Amino acid sequence: MKKQFKAVIIALFALILLTVTVPRVVFSVGLPSDSKAFNSSEFEELLGGVYEEQRFSTTKFSSFKLDTVLADREYALNIIKKTFKSFISELALKYSLPELTGETISDYNDALLKYRESDLQAAHGRPPYKLTALSYFIHLYNNSESNRETLEQHLKIYKESFGISDTEFIKEYLYESKPTGYRTTDKSFGMVTLVVADMLEYMKTEFELDLLTEGTLSQYKERLQDVPEDFAFQKKVLDEFIRIYSSSNK
């Protein structure tokens, strides 16, 4: 009888141990170590690159900031789904989430907040790498929409207040005005990438281009005529930028 009782206790203990440890093992397969130090630059490179945040300021109009955005959101999303497949599956199972897509990303952001609250390490110590990385990815992904809203808001205000065109408004921020005409500044290149970020993402994917840099500027110029008129404003901004940038760097 004692042997049977002892066997039952051992079996129950083994079952409890398996119940606790197996999910942890399963949902950790292929993931970077929780103790890995998070390096934003390294992570951004993994995601296919970014266009970094810039503050737009001028003596004529009020300043505003556009945040860092992913150069290719679809590519970055696919990388995340592969790299953090186990963790995404854990969140989906735990919080009854659909597949991670651009449309469901806010659901996963909410789930990460709940996960942080329920996970002892995340709540009271340094968050595990997977939590930090996925949170940062979602932040970058959502910046595209928030930047678009910020820019549209400022364009509307100053268009109504001063009666100037969208492109004239943008010129005030992107360039330095000289008696001989506009000239680019040290920040102009970084700033224009954020103003036309949506179009750059389209061009990068559609025409298989690398990130917009000084070295790829001519490639973007060549394909600009093939961009649909849905991006009319951004096409005009980039076309004007290339012209001014070229003359400024002769």
Side-chain angles (χ1 to χ4, degrees):
M1 186 71 178
K2 287 184 178 180
K3 289 184 178 180
Q4 291 178 335
F5 180 74
K6 185 176 182 181
V8 170
I9 293 298
I10 292 174
L12 285 173
F13 178 77
L15 180 62
I16 293 172
L17 186 62
L18 286 172
T19 303
V20 173
T21 59
V22 169
R24 290 182 179 177
V25 173
V26 170
F27 293 129
S28 298
V29 173
L31 289 177
S33 170
D34 278 351
S35 61
K36 180 180 178 179
F38 182 73
N39 182 304
S40 59
S41 297
E42 178 186 273
F43 187 63
E44 289 166 1
E45 186 175 344
L46 171 69
L47 298 180
V50 299
Y51 295 117
E52 296 183 350
E53 68 174 47
Q54 299 285 338
R55 175 158 291 281
F56 291 66
S57 59
T58 175
T59 56
K60 191 172 182 179
F61 303 128
S62 62
S63 65
F64 62 93
K65 188 183 78 166
L66 295 183
D67 296 314
T68 300
V69 298
L70 294 162
D72 189 333
R73 284 171 294 178
E74 196 61 34
Y75 174 83
L77 180 61
N78 289 331
I79 291 295
I80 283 292
K81 290 169 74 171
K82 291 177 183 178
T83 307
F84 296 92
K85 182 178 180 180
S86 299
F87 184 42
I88 291 170
S89 297
E90 180 183 0
L91 292 173
L93 182 63
K94 188 172 184 177
Y95 300 108
S96 302
L97 301 175
E99 179 186 357
L100 176 61
T101 65
E103 288 70 38
T104 64
I105 202 164
S106 60
D107 296 328
Y108 278 83
N109 191 44
D110 293 339
L112 285 174
L113 295 176
K114 295 176 183 176
Y115 187 92
R116 184 187 292 271
E117 292 174 356
S118 64
D119 186 276
L120 188 64
Q121 180 184 353
H124 302 291
R126 187 177 70 180
Y129 180 85
K130 60 188 179 186
L131 179 60
T132 303
L134 192 54
S135 296
Y136 188 64
F137 159 73
I138 292 175
H139 171 71
L140 292 179
Y141 193 97
N142 288 335
N143 279 348
S144 293
E145 181 63 28
S146 60
N147 280 359
R148 194 177 304 120
E149 292 174 355
T150 297
L151 190 58
E152 288 177 355
Q153 181 183 28
H154 279 77
L155 287 172
K156 181 180 179 181
I157 290 173
Y158 290 105
K159 191 173 183 178
E160 292 176 352
S161 300
F162 298 94
I164 60 176
S165 69
D166 292 346
T167 50
E168 287 300 319
F169 167 76
I170 290 299
K171 280 184 180 181
E172 292 292 332
Y173 288 97
L174 291 186
Y175 311 115
E176 181 181 10
S177 181
K178 295 285 188 180
T180 54
Y182 286 109
R183 300 278 294 178
T184 54
T185 68
D186 292 340
K187 294 182 63 177
S188 295
F189 204 104
M191 292 165 73
V192 78
T193 59
L194 291 176
V195 173
V196 301
D198 290 339
M199 185 181 70
L200 294 182
E201 183 176 2
Y202 169 85
M203 295 180 74
K204 181 179 181 295
T205 304
E206 185 70 15
F207 307 129
E208 299 181 349
L209 302 174
D210 292 326
L211 291 176
L212 179 66
T213 63
E214 292 184 44
T216 61
L217 194 61
S218 60
Q219 297 173 27
Y220 277 84
K221 180 181 179 180
E222 290 175 6
R223 301 313 302 262
L224 202 54
Q225 62 183 354
D226 302 320
V227 175
E229 286 307 305
D230 293 347
F231 298 101
F233 165 63
Q234 296 186 35
K235 284 178 67 174
K236 192 170 183 179
V237 168
L238 185 58
D239 185 55
E240 183 77 355
F241 171 80
I242 293 173
R243 184 184 66 78
I244 294 174
Y245 183 83
S246 300
S247 62
S248 298
N249 290 275
K250 283 182 179 179

Short mmCIF file of all heavy atoms in Angstrom, two decimals, residues 73 148 196-203 224 226-238:
data_model
loop_
_atom_site.label_atom_id
_atom_site.label_comp_id
_atom_site.label_asym_id
_atom_site.label_seq_id
_atom_site.Cartn_x
_atom_site.Cartn_y
_atom_site.Cartn_z
N ARG A 73 7.77 47.61 -43.59
CA ARG A 73 6.99 47.00 -42.51
C ARG A 73 6.64 45.54 -42.77
O ARG A 73 6.66 44.72 -41.86
CB ARG A 73 5.71 47.82 -42.28
CG ARG A 73 5.94 49.11 -41.53
CD ARG A 73 4.71 49.97 -41.50
NE ARG A 73 4.39 50.44 -42.85
CZ ARG A 73 3.33 51.18 -43.15
NH1 ARG A 73 2.48 51.51 -42.22
NH2 ARG A 73 3.11 51.59 -44.38
N ARG A 148 2.23 59.99 -39.90
CA ARG A 148 1.32 60.45 -40.96
C ARG A 148 0.30 61.44 -40.38
O ARG A 148 0.02 62.49 -40.97
CB ARG A 148 0.61 59.25 -41.58
CG ARG A 148 -0.10 59.55 -42.89
CD ARG A 148 -0.72 58.29 -43.46
NE ARG A 148 0.27 57.24 -43.65
CZ ARG A 148 0.21 56.05 -43.04
NH1 ARG A 148 -0.77 55.77 -42.22
NH2 ARG A 148 1.14 55.15 -43.27
N VAL A 196 8.53 61.40 -46.75
CA VAL A 196 8.08 60.55 -47.87
C VAL A 196 8.22 59.06 -47.54
O VAL A 196 8.33 58.22 -48.44
CB VAL A 196 8.84 60.89 -49.17
CG1 VAL A 196 8.65 62.34 -49.54
CG2 VAL A 196 10.34 60.58 -49.03
N ALA A 197 8.22 58.73 -46.27
CA ALA A 197 8.48 57.35 -45.83
C ALA A 197 7.53 56.33 -46.44
O ALA A 197 7.94 55.22 -46.81
CB ALA A 197 8.43 57.27 -44.30
N ASP A 198 6.25 56.67 -46.55
CA ASP A 198 5.27 55.73 -47.12
C ASP A 198 5.63 55.39 -48.57
O ASP A 198 5.56 54.24 -48.99
CB ASP A 198 3.86 56.31 -47.07
CG ASP A 198 3.32 56.39 -45.65
OD1 ASP A 198 3.83 55.65 -44.79
OD2 ASP A 198 2.40 57.19 -45.40
N MET A 199 6.01 56.41 -49.32
CA MET A 199 6.37 56.18 -50.72
C MET A 199 7.68 55.41 -50.83
O MET A 199 7.82 54.53 -51.71
CB MET A 199 6.50 57.51 -51.47
CG MET A 199 6.75 57.35 -52.96
SD MET A 199 6.93 58.93 -53.82
CE MET A 199 8.52 59.49 -53.19
N LEU A 200 8.63 55.70 -49.96
CA LEU A 200 9.90 54.98 -49.98
C LEU A 200 9.68 53.50 -49.72
O LEU A 200 10.33 52.64 -50.34
CB LEU A 200 10.87 55.56 -48.94
CG LEU A 200 11.36 56.99 -49.17
CD1 LEU A 200 12.33 57.39 -48.07
CD2 LEU A 200 12.00 57.14 -50.54
N GLU A 201 8.77 53.21 -48.80
CA GLU A 201 8.46 51.80 -48.51
C GLU A 201 7.86 51.12 -49.74
O GLU A 201 8.21 49.99 -50.07
CB GLU A 201 7.49 51.72 -47.33
CG GLU A 201 7.18 50.29 -46.92
CD GLU A 201 6.29 50.22 -45.69
OE1 GLU A 201 5.88 51.27 -45.18
OE2 GLU A 201 6.00 49.08 -45.26
N TYR A 202 6.97 51.82 -50.41
CA TYR A 202 6.36 51.29 -51.63
C TYR A 202 7.43 51.04 -52.69
O TYR A 202 7.47 49.96 -53.32
CB TYR A 202 5.32 52.26 -52.17
CG TYR A 202 4.82 51.92 -53.56
CD1 TYR A 202 3.80 51.01 -53.75
CD2 TYR A 202 5.42 52.50 -54.69
CE1 TYR A 202 3.37 50.67 -55.03
CE2 TYR A 202 5.00 52.17 -55.97
CZ TYR A 202 3.97 51.26 -56.14
OH TYR A 202 3.56 50.93 -57.40
N MET A 203 8.31 52.01 -52.89
CA MET A 203 9.34 51.89 -53.93
C MET A 203 10.34 50.79 -53.59
O MET A 203 10.78 50.04 -54.48
CB MET A 203 10.06 53.23 -54.09
CG MET A 203 9.18 54.36 -54.62
SD MET A 203 10.06 55.95 -54.80
CE MET A 203 11.06 55.60 -56.27
N LEU A 224 11.07 57.16 -59.91
CA LEU A 224 10.05 58.06 -59.38
C LEU A 224 8.88 58.24 -60.35
O LEU A 224 7.72 58.34 -59.92
CB LEU A 224 10.69 59.42 -59.06
CG LEU A 224 9.97 60.33 -58.05
CD1 LEU A 224 9.72 59.61 -56.74
CD2 LEU A 224 10.79 61.59 -57.81
N ASP A 226 7.56 56.09 -62.14
CA ASP A 226 6.73 54.89 -62.16
C ASP A 226 5.87 54.75 -60.90
O ASP A 226 5.10 53.79 -60.79
CB ASP A 226 7.63 53.64 -62.28
CG ASP A 226 8.48 53.67 -63.54
OD1 ASP A 226 7.96 54.09 -64.59
OD2 ASP A 226 9.66 53.28 -63.46
N VAL A 227 6.01 55.69 -60.00
CA VAL A 227 5.22 55.66 -58.76
C VAL A 227 3.82 56.19 -59.05
O VAL A 227 3.67 57.22 -59.70
CB VAL A 227 5.90 56.51 -57.66
CG1 VAL A 227 5.03 56.57 -56.41
CG2 VAL A 227 7.27 55.94 -57.33
N PRO A 228 2.77 55.51 -58.58
CA PRO A 228 1.39 55.96 -58.85
C PRO A 228 1.08 57.31 -58.22
O PRO A 228 1.73 57.73 -57.26
CB PRO A 228 0.53 54.84 -58.24
CG PRO A 228 1.41 54.16 -57.24
CD PRO A 228 2.80 54.26 -57.79
N GLU A 229 0.05 57.96 -58.76
CA GLU A 229 -0.32 59.29 -58.30
C GLU A 229 -0.93 59.31 -56.90
O GLU A 229 -1.22 60.37 -56.36
CB GLU A 229 -1.28 59.94 -59.30
CG GLU A 229 -0.61 60.39 -60.58
CD GLU A 229 0.59 61.30 -60.32
OE1 GLU A 229 0.43 62.33 -59.64
OE2 GLU A 229 1.69 60.97 -60.79
N ASP A 230 -1.14 58.14 -56.33
CA ASP A 230 -1.57 58.07 -54.93
C ASP A 230 -0.55 58.76 -54.03
O ASP A 230 -0.88 59.21 -52.93
CB ASP A 230 -1.73 56.61 -54.48
CG ASP A 230 -2.86 55.90 -55.19
OD1 ASP A 230 -3.67 56.59 -55.83
OD2 ASP A 230 -2.93 54.66 -55.12
N PHE A 231 0.69 58.80 -54.51
CA PHE A 231 1.79 59.42 -53.76
C PHE A 231 2.18 60.76 -54.37
O PHE A 231 3.35 61.16 -54.27
CB PHE A 231 3.01 58.49 -53.74
CG PHE A 231 2.78 57.17 -53.06
CD1 PHE A 231 2.54 56.03 -53.81
CD2 PHE A 231 2.81 57.07 -51.68
CE1 PHE A 231 2.35 54.80 -53.19
CE2 PHE A 231 2.62 55.85 -51.05
CZ PHE A 231 2.38 54.71 -51.81
N ALA A 232 1.25 61.45 -54.97
CA ALA A 232 1.55 62.69 -55.72
C ALA A 232 2.33 63.70 -54.89
O ALA A 232 3.34 64.25 -55.34
CB ALA A 232 0.25 63.31 -56.23
N PHE A 233 1.87 63.96 -53.66
CA PHE A 233 2.55 64.93 -52.80
C PHE A 233 3.97 64.48 -52.48
O PHE A 233 4.92 65.26 -52.60
CB PHE A 233 1.74 65.13 -51.51
CG PHE A 233 2.50 65.82 -50.41
CD1 PHE A 233 2.95 67.12 -50.56
CD2 PHE A 233 2.79 65.16 -49.22
CE1 PHE A 233 3.66 67.76 -49.54
CE2 PHE A 233 3.49 65.78 -48.21
CZ PHE A 233 3.93 67.08 -48.37
N GLN A 234 4.13 63.23 -52.10
CA GLN A 234 5.45 62.72 -51.75
C GLN A 234 6.38 62.65 -52.96
O GLN A 234 7.58 62.89 -52.85
CB GLN A 234 5.32 61.34 -51.09
CG GLN A 234 4.58 61.39 -49.76
CD GLN A 234 4.57 60.07 -49.02
OE1 GLN A 234 5.53 59.31 -49.08
NE2 GLN A 234 3.48 59.78 -48.34
N LYS A 235 5.83 62.35 -54.13
CA LYS A 235 6.63 62.36 -55.36
C LYS A 235 7.19 63.75 -55.62
O LYS A 235 8.37 63.91 -55.96
CB LYS A 235 5.76 61.94 -56.56
CG LYS A 235 5.48 60.46 -56.65
CD LYS A 235 4.56 60.14 -57.84
CE LYS A 235 5.23 60.40 -59.17
NZ LYS A 235 4.38 59.96 -60.31
N LYS A 236 6.35 64.75 -55.45
CA LYS A 236 6.77 66.13 -55.69
C LYS A 236 7.84 66.56 -54.69
O LYS A 236 8.82 67.23 -55.05
CB LYS A 236 5.56 67.06 -55.59
CG LYS A 236 5.81 68.47 -56.11
CD LYS A 236 4.51 69.25 -56.21
CE LYS A 236 4.75 70.64 -56.79
NZ LYS A 236 3.49 71.41 -56.91
N VAL A 237 7.67 66.16 -53.42
CA VAL A 237 8.64 66.52 -52.38
C VAL A 237 9.99 65.88 -52.68
O VAL A 237 11.03 66.54 -52.61
CB VAL A 237 8.13 66.07 -50.99
CG1 VAL A 237 9.26 66.17 -49.95
CG2 VAL A 237 6.95 66.92 -50.55
N LEU A 238 10.00 64.58 -53.01
CA LEU A 238 11.26 63.90 -53.26
C LEU A 238 11.93 64.39 -54.54
O LEU A 238 13.15 64.56 -54.59
CB LEU A 238 11.06 62.38 -53.34
CG LEU A 238 12.34 61.55 -53.46
CD1 LEU A 238 13.28 61.83 -52.28
CD2 LEU A 238 12.03 60.06 -53.55
#
